[in-house]
Amino acid sequence: MNYIWLDCDPGHDDATAILLAIHCSNIRLLGVSTVHGNTTAENTKINASRCLHAFAAPADIKVYGGAIKPLLRPTRHDPEIHGPDGLGGVEGLPSADSSLVRTRIDHRPAIEAIAGALRRTWNDSAGVKVTIVASGPLTNIALFVSVYPDLLDAIERIVFMGGGIGVGNRSAVAEFNILCDPEAAQIVLNAPVPKTMIPLNVTHKAIVTNSLHNKLINNSLTHEAQSELASSQLRHTLSTLISFFKESYKSTFGFLDGPPLHDALTIAYVARPELFTRLRGIHTTGETIAAFFDFFLDCVAKCDRVSPLNQKCTS
Ligand code: BDR
Ligand code: CA
């Protein structure tokens, strides 16, 4: 079993990472912290809570708000890609002011909650370590490793989506998460714990093509959809998420085939690391991405059985 803590800035692809973290059978999600990034820290906190509810996370998994700004630089958000509230165009999630959303939020600061989860896991399970997964700017994680150096031994690995080798999305070489808070990224990279970076070079291969979008809508791994009507409200919600993200990627970056599911790959790496080893072989890339989407669709199917949005979609 992989014990993980997820630090994120939802964000369309962060939302898919949340779904995988809840429904992947060899992952035990301990908690979710949020950070400034795709939108304001207040919005990312609320969005994470909306996703936890819609994706049927156990009630004891809470959201903890973290840094509202980068360590040194002015805050930057990305409404062009994620809409004004971070989950633009996504239908069917509970509203921000619903009590379901509010009661999921714990007001302890993010780094204190991460420290508590690491200590508890270490003590209760005789030295079991926790993987920290980060899918937004690295401010919270930089603060955590700086404030709690005594807990570094309790970290299995830090897996983060960010960066690109010779490729960027906010300049020719800069990737959004790292660009938001490069000083925080430097602190995390210097921390003496194992780290895995999931860069744009990898995530730009995980494109949700029309054919995959149709499989998502219709719960079918083998047949293309005949209509655009989703088979459940959950799938309709995910379909609206993909559609919005697709339009953003088309208009901003000229991606014509579909949007990349960047952040979902962090969870896939923890759950199925062998996929990423094989990604090194040029000829196995297609196979790997197909296996990633099978994994993704399998988790969606598990979510569909228990989600409050599992009613049949009628319109
Ligand atoms: C990263 O930036 C955000 O737009 C996404 O959520 C992802 O974490 C991709 O550069
Ligand atoms: Ca993100």
Side-chain angles (χ1 to χ4, degrees), residues 9 13-14 38 135-136 177 263:
D9 63 335
D13 51 335
D14 300 82
N38 288 325
S135 63
N177 288 341
D263 295 339

Side-chain angles (χ1 to χ4, degrees), residues 9-16 38-39 44 47 51 82 85-87 241 263:
D9 63 335
H12 295 71
D13 51 335
D14 300 82
T16 62
N38 288 325
T39 179
T44 61
N47 287 346
C51 291
H82 295 277
D85 74 347
L87 286 177
L241 181 152
D263 295 339

Side-chain angles (χ1 to χ4, degrees), residues 47 76 94 131 149 245 253 274 285 295:
N47 287 346
R76 81 170 46 230
T131 298
F245 209 33
F253 299 123
E274 74 283 0
T285 300
F295 164 75

Side-chain angles (χ1 to χ4, degrees), residues 1 13 16 20 23 29 35 39 50 55 94 96 108 127 136 149 216 219 224 242 244 279 290 303:
M1 184 56 69
D13 51 335
T16 62
L20 295 186
H23 293 286
L29 177 63
V35 65
T39 179
R50 296 167 78 203
F55 303 154
R108 253 179 309 158
L216 174 68
N219 185 22
E224 302 250 329
I242 297 296
F244 186 93
L279 203 55
C303 184

Side-chain angles (χ1 to χ4, degrees), residues 188-257:
V188 171
L189 288 172
N190 288 346
V193 292
K195 288 161 284 270
T196 299
M197 164 168 137
I198 309 284
L200 292 176
N201 310 65
V202 173
T203 65
H204 279 177
K205 295 185 171 123
I207 299 289
V208 190
T209 58
N210 284 341
S211 147
L212 287 163
H213 190 171
N214 285 336
K215 285 176 181 170
L216 174 68
I217 292 174
N218 282 281
N219 185 22
S220 157
L221 293 177
T222 50
H223 299 296
E224 302 250 329
Q226 298 304 311
S227 84
E228 289 197 357
L229 185 62
S231 58
S232 72
Q233 291 195 5
L234 173 74
R235 287 172 189 278
H236 173 73
T237 294
L238 294 171
S239 175
T240 57
L241 181 152
I242 297 296
S243 296
F244 186 93
F245 209 33
K246 179 179 176 178
E247 275 315 302
S248 299
Y249 262 77
K250 192 166 152 194
S251 54
T252 307
F253 299 123
F255 276 48
L256 298 179
D257 294 341

Side-chain angles (χ1 to χ4, degrees), residues 17-91:
I18 292 174
L19 187 151
L20 295 186
I22 298 170
H23 293 286
C24 172
S25 51
N26 67 348
I27 282 183
R28 169 89 193 283
L29 177 63
L30 301 172
V32 175
S33 50
T34 50
V35 65
H36 66 88
N38 288 325
T39 179
T40 64
E42 183 61 18
N43 284 342
T44 61
K45 183 170 68 181
I46 288 167
N47 287 346
S49 180
R50 296 167 78 203
C51 291
L52 284 178
H53 176 72
F55 303 154
D60 61 340
I61 299 178
K62 303 284 188 202
V63 177
Y64 305 83
I68 61 169
K69 57 192 274 303
L71 295 181
L72 298 177
R73 303 185 183 229
T75 315
R76 81 170 46 230
H77 302 311
D78 212 352
E80 211 181 347
I81 300 295
H82 295 277
D85 74 347
L87 286 177
V90 184
E91 296 175 10

Side-chain angles (χ1 to χ4, degrees), residues 125-137:
S125 314
V128 166
K129 300 186 181 195
V130 174
T131 298
I132 295 183
V133 176
S135 63

